[in-house]
């Protein structure tokens, strides 16, 4: 007799638990306002990334096309996967001594793991992260970027 | 009681007579068959495409997502785009597969669901053929589809497919019993197997209400077992995506896969329309005996809309099952059938017979 | 080809056949290959073949300096990346005998627990999906998104954060951090009720998981099954309790133990752990002391020659980091004792004479992360 009741109580509890589960999905079905999906290409204009978002490494330039990088190579040494290559040049300074400036600050986006060590360890805070995240390109070579803009120079007093 | 529902019989007899006046009776018969075939093909395609879209939208909303929304407004052309993609895909031939069986398996599945569709009354007088053993015919024909699934699994030369097909075989052999017995419960109440008569009998209340407790139990059992029969919902062991990758149709690609896919949805439509016809009155509007005014208002809604609405409701229930529950294991599936559904069903038939004898139904 | 030759040769009367689950299979959650011998639907023998995503992280560590190693550990168990970072940082700090500021310890502990919650959320999602309840997957991912947003605001990354560094953390927490964590806790306490409604109490789920994959306490200890999987077998193996690090000795939380020893108990342990993690965060989040976010470190970190070992409780179990240093700025040898690898070893034992569907359920309940197995 006991097993007879157990048979029916099993059915009852089983059906009850199934209905509880269905109440959850049913509730979401009838409340589409709870949908959190972002409509990505449509919301592109007002899509705001967080200020610390690690999009890609950039060399921060000011309005006068000047940056703070003196080509010391600490970022290159700190990079775990060799994504940064510094090609520096020597030009005669104002006092006549040869002075080191960067010729090319090459950044291989395809190799970067966004660990942030270059930005953290830069002694003159020349590097930063941009909020750019749409990195897809048709050619791999386009991922090798030169970070210092053409014609840019170093801010006086940084070196 | 008389109702002012448009009878499609006058329309079909008009076509029949005009065709007969134009050509010989044999030719007229052939022409009629062709017309019906074309109409059913179109209906099949439209319903299939719509159901795929509906499923994706329903499941998206249940999962707190948006669902397809790229192709056309609200993504309504998504399935057409998918269909074009499937048409253009390569048909991959599997090494050491049984070519003949591999190729005809999808057709068997789709033909089985196609044949069963012919007995369904869509509106008053609107059915391809009105068998006097309609329910028996539908049960017999719709279970033919499993042959296609078994062949697909067997001929694919893939172990996953074979496991899926064998599961499907065990599943359908068991659940066919429950489907049949739950429909039998209603046949006991109705006293006929003819779909048109069953619908007519529900003019003063649907069988779900007329047969109250046993009819409701039969309805629930039918929902569960028909979900199992269509390889859907928590019973999709033949596909079992997380266990068997795609089960019996692992090796199918392109349009052949689309046939399986379409057949699954059409089977769902089929069992939903059987459930709607037998339990919820088919195309019969919602009538309460005695409320003449209310009944007349209900009659203004066309019967085809009633039929589609009820079918859509049952389909929605089945989708709700599928997108809520985890999948059963094969032994639990069989336990559910043989230890729970079948005994309940047998007792339920006795209960219904008793009810009918005592005239305790409405 | 060699592996195929070494297969256990099945006798024809036994009618065993083999299927490869993986490397591409929906339920292995990655590129794990399980060579399964089946008799009908019954699993007779199972051989895991790993190495499909072996990247040689241990070897790569040997050429990297200690701050650089951090970002590699993210990529082992990507679901508890912050905890992996934490382990290496603790090891370096222990070797150099550096006292990190209290603020750092608070931040790290909160981050660890957030990591544990999001890992368990993703596990819940994928476990539901393994059992065929696809809806679970979307609910889990949806709620996990809130934690990822909190991280993105503070650390700049959503997933592989590299937020820890020897001596502290990379940047201070964002001003919105505490507020957002509060919002998350409040929301998730409601949402986790849905989890329980849709899966925990469900009769189909109970049937699928109760009594499936029985792992006794003795077996758990002898196989070295740690983490929630071990605690589901009543083995008290929480490193946060036995060897407390950071703030764990100062907060109150329960070590969740279950005694049923099956997949269901492993499931319940993780569900309870989410509550415990939220409990820990609630104790800490309002009391983060002011101070530096990193201790001052030398520009080049050199560990004194010797051997060092540090273990932490990751979301999957005990993560051990072992370093042999010869006094240079790079380690001489680095070894990670990852929880998923040892947890994988018990899969064969658990799934013998069970059905294929059970194998999937057991694999899901062990919460394997494939890159953590292969490293």
């Amino acid at each position: 007799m006991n097993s007879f009741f157990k048979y029916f109580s099993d059915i009852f509890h089983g059906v009850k638990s199934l209905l509880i589960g269905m109440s959850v999905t049913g509730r979401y079905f009838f409340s589409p306002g709870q949908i959190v999906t972002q409509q990505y290409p449509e919301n592109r204009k007002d899509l705001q990334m967080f200020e610390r978002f690690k999009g890609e490494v950039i060399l921060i330039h000011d309005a006068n096309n000047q940056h703070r990088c003196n080509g010391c190579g600490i970022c290159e040494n700190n990079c775990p996967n060799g994504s940064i290559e510094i090609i520096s040049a020597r030009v005669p300074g104002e006092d006549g001594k040869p002075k080191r400036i960067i010729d090319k600050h090459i950044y291989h986006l395809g190799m970067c793991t966004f660990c942030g060590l270059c930005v953290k360890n830069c002694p003159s805070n020349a590097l930063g992260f941009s909020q750019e995240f749409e990195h897809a390109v048709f050619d791999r070579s386009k991922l090798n970027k030169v970070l210092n803009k053409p014609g840019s120079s170093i801010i006086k007093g940084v070196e | 009681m008389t109702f002012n529902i448009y009878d499609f019989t006058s329309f079909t007899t008009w076509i029949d007579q005009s065709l007969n006046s134009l050509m010989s009776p044999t030719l007229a018969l052939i022409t009629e068959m062709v017309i019906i075939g074309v109409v059913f093909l179109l209906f099949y395609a439209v319903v299939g495409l719509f159901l795929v879209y509906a499923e994706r939208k329903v499941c998206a909303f249940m999962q707190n997502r948006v669902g397809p929304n790229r192709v056309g407004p609200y993504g309504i052309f998504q399935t057409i785009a998918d269909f074009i993609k499937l048409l253009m895909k390569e048909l991959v031939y599997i090494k050491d597969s049984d070519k003949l069986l591999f190729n005809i398996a999808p057709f068997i599945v789709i033909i089985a669901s196609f044949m069963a569709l012919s007995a369904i009354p869509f509106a008053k007088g609107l059915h391809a053929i009105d068998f006097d053993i309609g329910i028996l015919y539908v049960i017999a024909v719709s279970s033919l589809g499993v042959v296609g699934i078994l062949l697909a699994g067997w001929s694919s030369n893939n172990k996953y497919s074979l496991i899926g097909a064998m599961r499907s075989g065990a599943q359908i052999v068991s659940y066919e019993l429950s489907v049949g017995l739950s429909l039998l419960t209603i046949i006991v109440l109705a006293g006929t197997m003819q779909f048109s008569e069953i619908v007519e009998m529900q003019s003063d209340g649907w069988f779900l209400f007329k047969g109250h407790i046993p009819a409701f139990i039969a309805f629930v059992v039918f929902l569960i077992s028909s979900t199992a029969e269509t390889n859907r919902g928590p019973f999709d062991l033949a596909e079992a995506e997380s266990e068997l990758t795609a089960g019996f149709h692992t090796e199918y690609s392109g349009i052949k896969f689309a046939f399986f896919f379409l057949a699954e949805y059409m089977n769902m439509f089929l069992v939903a329309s059987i459930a709607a016809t037998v339990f919820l009155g088919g195309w019969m509007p919602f009538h309460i005996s005695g409320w003449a005014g209310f009944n007349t208002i209900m009659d203004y809604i066309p019967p085809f809309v009633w039929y589609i609405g009820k079918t859509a409701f049952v389909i929605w229930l089945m989708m709700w099952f599928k997108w809520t529950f985890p999948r059963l294991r094969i032994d639990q599936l069989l336990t559910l059938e043989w230890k729970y559904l079948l005994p309940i069903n047998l007792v339920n038939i006795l209960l219904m017979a008793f009810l009918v004898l005592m005239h305790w139904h409405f | 080809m060699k592996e195929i030759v070494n297969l256990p040769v099945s006798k024809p009367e036994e009618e065993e056949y083999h299927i490869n689950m993986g490397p591409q299979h929906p339920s292995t959650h990655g590129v794990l290959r399980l060579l399964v011998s089946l008799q009908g639907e019954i699993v007779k023998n199972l051989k895991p073949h790993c190495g499909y995503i072996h990247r040689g992280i241990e070897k790569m560590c040997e050429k990297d300096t200690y701050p650089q190693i951090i970002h590699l550990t993210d990529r082992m168990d990507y679901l508890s990346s912050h905890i992996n970072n934490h382990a290496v940082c603790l090891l370096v700090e222990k070797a150099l005998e550096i006292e990190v500021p209290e603020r750092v310890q608070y931040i790290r502990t909160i981050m660890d627990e957030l990591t544990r919650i999001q890992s368990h959320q993703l596990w819940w999602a994928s476990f539901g999906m393994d059992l065929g309840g696809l809806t679970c997957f979307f609910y889990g991912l949806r709620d996990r998104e809130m934690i990822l947003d909190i991280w993105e605001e503070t650390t700049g990354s959503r997933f592989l954060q590299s937020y820890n560094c020897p001596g502290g953390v990379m940047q201070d927490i964002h001003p919105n951090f505490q507020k957002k964590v509060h919002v998350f806790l409040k929301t998730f306490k409601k949402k986790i009720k849905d989890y329980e409604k849709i899966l925990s109490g469900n009769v189909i789920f109970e049937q699928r998981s109760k009594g499936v994959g029985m792992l006794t306490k003795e077996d758990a200890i002898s196989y070295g099954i740690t983490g929630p999987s071990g605690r589901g077998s009543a083995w008290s193996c929480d490193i946060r309790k036995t060897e407390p690090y950071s703030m764990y000795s100062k907060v109150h939380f329960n070590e969740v133990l279950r005694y049923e020893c099956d997949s269901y108990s492993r499931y319940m342990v993780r569900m309870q752990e989410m509550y415990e993690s939220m409990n820990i965060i609630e104790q800490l989040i309002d009391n983060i002391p002011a101070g530096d976010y990193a201790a001052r470190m030398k520009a080049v970190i050199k560990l004194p020659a010797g051997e060092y070992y540090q273990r932490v409780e990751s979301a999957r179990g005990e993560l051990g980091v072992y370093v042999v240093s010869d006094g240079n700025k790079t380690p001489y040898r680095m070894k990670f004792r990852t929880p998923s690898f040892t947890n994988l070893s018990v899969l064969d034992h658990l799934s013998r004479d069970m059905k294929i569907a059970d194998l999937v359920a057991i694999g899901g309940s062990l919460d394997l992360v494939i890159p953590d197995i292969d490293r």
Side-chain angles (χ1 to χ4, degrees), chain A residues 14 21 23-24 26 38 44 57 60 78 85 93 95 113 122 130 144:
Chain A
S23 74
V24 175
Q38 293 202 6
R44 209 169 172 180
V57 176
I60 301 161
N78 268 292
E85 273 178 67
D95 51 353
T113 49
C122 182
S130 77
N144 304 333

Side-chain angles (χ1 to χ4, degrees), chain A residues 123-135:
Chain A
S124 47
N125 293 330
L127 291 172
F129 279 113
S130 77
Q131 262 92 52
E132 179 63 35
F133 64 93
E134 288 160 333
H135 291 316

Side-chain angles (χ1 to χ4, degrees), chain B residues 62 159 167 242 323 327, chain C residues 18 41 130-131 135 139 142:
Chain B
M62 283 184 177
K159 289 164 193 164
R167 281 179 177 188
S242 60
W323 298 108
R327 188 182 302 116
Chain C
H18 309 289
E41 280 221 24
D130 279 346
L131 296 178
T135 304
Y139 290 174
R142 177 198 64 197

Side-chain angles (χ1 to χ4, degrees), chain B residues 62-65 159-160 163 167 234 241-245 322-332, chain C residues 17-21 25-27 41 130-132 134-135 138-139 142 202 204 207-208 212 357-358 360:
Chain B
M62 283 184 177
Q63 293 169 347
N64 216 352
R65 309 185 273 127
K159 289 164 193 164
Y160 284 128
I163 298 171
R167 281 179 177 188
E241 193 244 342
S242 60
E243 294 153 29
L244 306 176
T245 58
K322 171 158 184 172
W323 298 108
T324 307
F325 302 138
R327 188 182 302 116
L328 276 83
R329 206 169 58 204
I330 181 74
D331 58 327
Q332 289 159 359
Chain C
Y17 61 101
H18 309 289
I19 58 170
N20 276 306
M21 282 180 99
H25 190 278
S27 75
E41 280 221 24
D130 279 346
L131 296 178
L134 272 155
T135 304
F138 293 94
Y139 290 174
R142 177 198 64 197
N202 192 307
I204 302 175
Q207 294 275 326
R208 282 294 302 277
V212 169
D358 290 333
V360 174

Side-chain angles (χ1 to χ4, degrees), chain A residues 20-31 34-36, chain B residues 58-65 320 323-325, chain C residues 118 120-126 128-129 133-146 184 188 191-199 274:
Chain A
I20 287 173
M22 282 169 72
S23 74
V24 175
T25 42
R27 182 158 49 81
Y28 282 114
F29 180 78
F30 287 113
S31 55
Q34 292 195 31
I35 292 173
V36 290
Chain B
V58 167
C59 101
F61 281 132
M62 283 184 177
Q63 293 169 347
N64 216 352
R65 309 185 273 127
W320 197 3
W323 298 108
T324 307
F325 302 138
Chain C
Q118 65 90 21
H120 286 348
Q121 280 172 338
L122 190 78
W123 158 81
W124 182 83
S126 64
M129 195 178 65
L134 272 155
T135 304
C136 304
F137 191 72
F138 293 94
Y139 290 174
L141 284 188
R142 177 198 64 197
D143 300 335
R144 184 169 168 264
E145 201 70 8
M146 292 188 76
F184 164 74
F188 187 55
K191 295 275 162 95
I192 198 168
K193 296 278 183 292
D194 281 356
Y195 291 21
E196 281 169 357
K197 278 183 193 165
I198 204 167
L199 215 53
M274 285 199 252

Side-chain angles (χ1 to χ4, degrees), chain B residues 46-87:
Chain B
V46 169
V47 167
L49 288 177
F50 178 74
L51 278 182
V52 175
Y53 171 72
E55 162 115 312
R56 291 178 66 176
K57 269 294 189 197
V58 167
C59 101
F61 281 132
M62 283 184 177
Q63 293 169 347
N64 216 352
R65 309 185 273 127
V66 184
N69 65 346
R70 296 284 136 176
V71 192
Y74 301 104
I76 47 171
F77 301 121
Q78 180 67 47
T79 40
I80 295 172
D82 286 348
F83 187 69
I84 293 169
K85 184 203 79 171
L86 282 171
L87 274 178

